[in-house]
Amino acid sequence: MPPDAKRSEAVSPHHVLTVTLEDYYHVKAFNRLIHSGQWYRFENRLERNTERTLDLLDETKSRATFFVFGNLAESMPELVRKIVARGHDVGSRGMYPRDIAQLTPEELTTDLARSKEAVEKASGQAVRGFRAGEVWNEPDDLWILDLIAEAGYQYDSSFCPWMRKAKDRPDLLLTHRRTVNNRDLWVLPISSFSLLGWRLPLGGNFLRQFPRPLVRHELKRWATQLAVPLVTYFNVWEIDPDQPRIEAAPLLQRIRQYRNLDRMYGLLQETLSTYRFTSIADWLRIAPEVPAPVAYARARTPLPSRIATPQQLQLGVETPAPIPVTLVVPCFNEEHGLAYLKNTLQSVEKRLGDHYDFRFVFVDDCSTDNTYAGLLTTFGGRTNCKIVRHEVNGGVAAAIMTGIKAADTAIVASIDADCSYDPHELAGMVPMLADDVDLVTASPYHPDGGVLNVAGWRLFLSRSLSGIYRHVLHNKLHTYTSCFRVYRRSAAITIPIHERGFLGVAEFIGRLDLAGSRIVEYPTRLEVRMLGRSKMKVLQTIAGQLGLLRKLVVVRANS
């Protein structure tokens, strides 16, 4: 049927509504910044957004098909069951968000089976539908549909017409049935419209970005002129304008993610109230079924990358009790990142708690937002947490020194509140604090370290400064400015710090070096700050570093 097929009757049919169940940090726009091993760190807003979505569907008497990742179904089965209990259909999106066109046929076959089983186990219903974690639009990838049919699915809604990708295949633009080895597979592409010869999807992000009159016009055209249902979608995070902002993302990705979020709920409310929407299963008249038992070899799911395993805890000797370690966290205007920090530290305690007895000192460096109140709410009720507040902003180094002095353990560590270094790496750093070592510092510029998503010009400047420090100081390190460190408290509290802000971090290591202490490096990875913006003023900091180097040269000459 051609894309512009005319309706033969004036009565509006039911259209098809699909909803992708994902949180704000799952989205494709951020997959170069955030890998699945980091998901646990972010504030989970999925349940509240799903509940709000379900209420909206009830209010507008709409039904929908929710597409769910297999790993999410395994971790939040009660949420999937709630969707089914509220009268909606559920389908699979694969185990994880990824481009299935990049998988081999064998990998895709396994993924289709695993995710189907996971969603069925969570929902208690047979899964009939599939949508890829990343929708696709290349006609050359039609082999994917064959594997989906062979895996036992009855419908797919993964194809998303885009620009001129399917200009020679108008048959792919509308709902149709495909037969594969005597199996029928209904294919429901995401609906699109033509604008100046380019095809644009009518759903999700595009609903938010297009002018409202254009959206209304295209919706009305589908309802009154076309003989096939509109197949549209949205993501549950799109009705959450207050979601944390991933400021590390490039500008265009941030526009795509955040523009008009405050209007999306109203747009959906208007659309669902004006037209009749139902789920794919209801539209196809597929009755719910109990899932059939399946059996296949399940591979063990590996631990997320960069998370230490017990074998990586190279303690050398058995200890009768966990080693006491105080973790100092300097905070300045970190209100929006406290949930991320809390989730990360909870994971550190859980994974490393058999070996380390962690205590925490949070130092609010006279924040101008609600950081201090947030610290009290998030950590104030815990017996192993202290919260200290500066009445005057002293900078990150002063906050770290305050935390070290407030500690009551011989070993103290400091981390950045944004967790741009993975604090699970303490598993490898603490054992390096040998009897003749006073400081272990994390080093992304070490040959075995690395950086991720940090601007090249900043790396060049930082590496150049480190090269100058190596010529001035005794300990020849690759990184002198990291805040991620493990200290011998007795040595650290004797070091005077005169410089403010980030300069004090480098001054500390310089004065400790010139006092004769041994400093060692632990190679690790530095990642870009996810939430909020860096407090560092780059050019001002570079000028200050050069001034500090001159002072250290004088100290060395006089020692």
Side-chain angles (χ1 to χ4, degrees):
M1 184 179 296
D4 294 322
K6 301 294 183 180
R7 282 182 43 75
S8 59
E9 56 187 45
V11 179
S12 173
H14 275 97
H15 299 296
V16 170
L17 177 63
T18 63
V19 180
T20 54
L21 199 69
E22 63 181 21
D23 221 332
Y24 62 97
Y25 50 86
H26 293 154
V27 299
K28 177 183 178 181
F30 299 146
N31 61 9
R32 292 189 178 182
L33 289 172
I34 305 169
H35 55 77
S36 58
Q38 295 173 308
W39 285 357
Y40 73 92
R41 296 186 181 187
F42 291 86
E43 178 188 1
N44 187 321
R45 301 174 72 87
L46 188 58
E47 292 181 77
R48 76 184 76 175
N49 291 334
T50 302
E51 187 70 42
R52 193 175 183 212
T53 297
L54 293 171
D55 291 343
L56 173 62
L57 297 180
D58 284 348
E59 173 193 333
T60 57
K61 297 180 173 57
S62 303
R63 291 292 175 264
T65 294
F66 285 73
F67 288 105
V68 184
F69 289 123
N71 71 327
L72 192 151
E74 290 176 340
S75 62
M76 304 179 71
E78 68 287 345
L79 185 61
V80 180
R81 286 194 292 272
K82 178 181 289 187
I83 292 169
V84 172
R86 299 279 286 268
H88 304 284
D89 180 31
V90 291
S92 166
R93 291 191 74 195
M95 288 302 296
Y96 307 97
R98 53 184 171 179
D99 184 355
I100 63 173
Q102 302 301 315
L103 302 180
T104 66
E106 293 76 17
E107 291 171 332
L108 178 54
T109 297
T110 299
D111 187 80
L112 289 167
R114 284 191 62 196
S115 60
K116 189 172 188 290
E117 183 196 15
V119 180
E120 287 181 338
K121 183 177 180 181
S123 67
Q125 289 191 357
V127 166
R128 285 73 57 89
F130 182 80
R131 172 174 287 164
E134 294 183 14
V135 293
W136 50 278
N137 47 47
E138 294 287 354
D140 290 343
D141 291 332
L142 289 175
W143 61 271
I144 293 172
L145 295 176
D146 297 342
L147 292 184
I148 292 170
E150 291 172 1
Y153 292 90
Q154 294 174 256
Y155 65 83
D156 175 81
S157 186
S158 301
F159 191 76
C160 182
W162 172 247
M163 296 302 186
R164 296 183 183 272
K165 292 286 188 180
K167 63 184 178 65
D168 298 325
R169 295 295 304 271
D171 57 305
L172 298 179
L173 302 181
L174 299 177
T175 296
H176 61 279
R177 185 160 53 187
R178 181 183 181 89
T179 301
V180 180
N181 294 332
N182 296 320
R183 290 178 179 270
D184 283 340
L185 180 74
W186 278 93
V187 180
L188 293 92
I190 294 167
S191 295
S192 61
F193 66 98
S194 179
L195 183 66
L196 301 177
W198 302 86
R199 295 215 70 83
L200 300 171
L202 195 58
N205 171 59
F206 302 96
L207 291 179
R208 289 189 286 118
Q209 307 297 353
F210 294 148
R212 183 70 68 89
L214 176 62
V215 172
R216 288 182 178 136
H217 174 270
E218 289 302 323
L219 290 173
K220 184 177 181 180
R221 187 173 74 92
W222 276 93
T224 60
Q225 299 180 25
L226 300 185
V228 292
L230 171 75
V231 180
T232 190
Y233 76 97
F234 68 95
N235 310 284
V236 295
W237 56 262
E238 289 186 282
I239 62 171
D240 181 13
D242 298 323
Q243 64 189 257
R245 305 290 169 122
I246 312 297
E247 299 291 355
L251 177 61
L252 288 179
Q253 291 179 358
R254 281 184 276 126
I255 292 174
R256 181 185 184 278
Q257 180 80 3
Y258 303 122
R259 183 174 179 268
N260 290 337
L261 281 182
D262 57 336
R263 301 180 184 179
M264 188 62 168
Y265 189 89
L267 174 60
L268 290 172
Q269 195 172 41
E270 174 189 317
T271 302
L272 299 181
S273 298
T274 304
Y275 304 101
R276 295 184 295 169
F277 283 90
T278 192
S279 69
I280 297 177
D282 285 348
W283 187 81
L284 293 174
R285 295 183 173 85
I286 302 175
E289 299 176 7
V290 176
V294 295
Y296 60 91
R298 179 189 295 275
R300 290 188 63 190
T301 303
L303 288 172
S305 60
R306 310 294 296 175
I307 303 298
T309 63
Q311 291 73 25
Q312 292 171 317
L313 300 172
Q314 300 171 351
L315 299 177
V317 295
E318 298 256 345
T319 55
I323 300 171
V325 175
T326 297
L327 190 53
V328 175
V329 187
C331 301
F332 177 69
N333 290 353
E334 299 288 349
E335 174 187 359
H336 298 296
L338 292 181
Y340 185 88
L341 174 64
K342 179 191 73 171
N343 293 340
T344 304
L345 295 183
Q346 284 179 340
S347 177
V348 170
E349 285 189 283
K350 180 178 179 180
R351 291 186 177 274
L352 308 186
D354 289 343
H355 301 274
Y356 299 109
D357 173 17
F358 285 108
R359 297 92 184 271
F360 300 92
V361 178
F362 300 91
V363 182
D364 174 50
D365 193 23
C366 194
S367 294
T368 57
D369 63 2
N370 293 319
T371 295
Y372 182 65
L375 287 171
L376 292 175
T377 300
T378 306
F379 302 103
R382 299 181 54 180
T383 57
N384 64 339
C385 293
K386 292 181 182 179
I387 300 172
V388 182
R389 189 179 193 188
H390 284 173
E391 295 302 322
V392 177
N393 179 264
V396 63
I400 291 174
M401 288 303 297
T402 294
I404 291 174
K405 292 174 181 177
D408 57 4
T409 58
I411 300 174
V412 182
S414 64
I415 67 168
D416 297 277
D418 60 14
C419 299
S420 49
Y421 292 99
D422 186 352
H424 293 87
E425 298 283 16
L426 288 169
M429 293 176 67
V430 174
M432 294 178 68
L433 196 71
D435 290 342
D436 61 340
V437 175
D438 288 328
L439 179 68
V440 180
T441 184
S443 178
Y445 305 143
H446 188 282
D448 295 328
V451 293
L452 186 64
N453 299 314
V454 178
W457 64 271
R458 292 190 65 167
L459 292 178
F460 172 78
L461 292 174
S462 186
R463 288 179 186 272
S464 299
L465 282 171
S466 293
I468 299 174
Y469 274 107
R470 275 197 297 275
H471 287 291
V472 173
L473 301 177
H474 301 296
N475 288 273
K476 307 304 179 184
L477 309 176
H478 296 86
T479 305
Y480 292 85
T481 54
S482 167
C483 291
F484 187 26
R485 296 172 175 172
V486 177
Y487 311 80
R488 186 176 304 282
R489 182 178 181 276
S490 59
I493 59 175
T494 65
I495 302 300
I497 301 296
H498 305 293
E499 300 289 347
R500 289 181 53 82
F502 291 97
L503 290 179
V505 175
E507 181 189 16
F508 176 90
I509 205 169
R511 292 189 180 277
L512 188 67
D513 172 279
L514 297 176
S517 289
R518 184 182 173 209
I519 304 167
V520 297
E521 286 183 295
Y522 178 84
T524 189
R525 184 172 68 185
L526 170 65
E527 298 186 6
V528 69
R529 180 188 181 98
M530 295 292 180
L531 303 172
R533 297 186 180 275
S534 172
K535 316 301 190 302
M536 182 184 294
K537 296 178 174 60
V538 176
L539 296 180
Q540 179 180 329
T541 300
I542 291 172
Q545 296 280 8
L546 295 175
L548 173 61
L549 280 162
R550 288 196 298 270
K551 294 178 183 178
L552 293 176
V553 168
V554 173
V555 173
R556 178 168 180 172
N558 294 331
S559 61

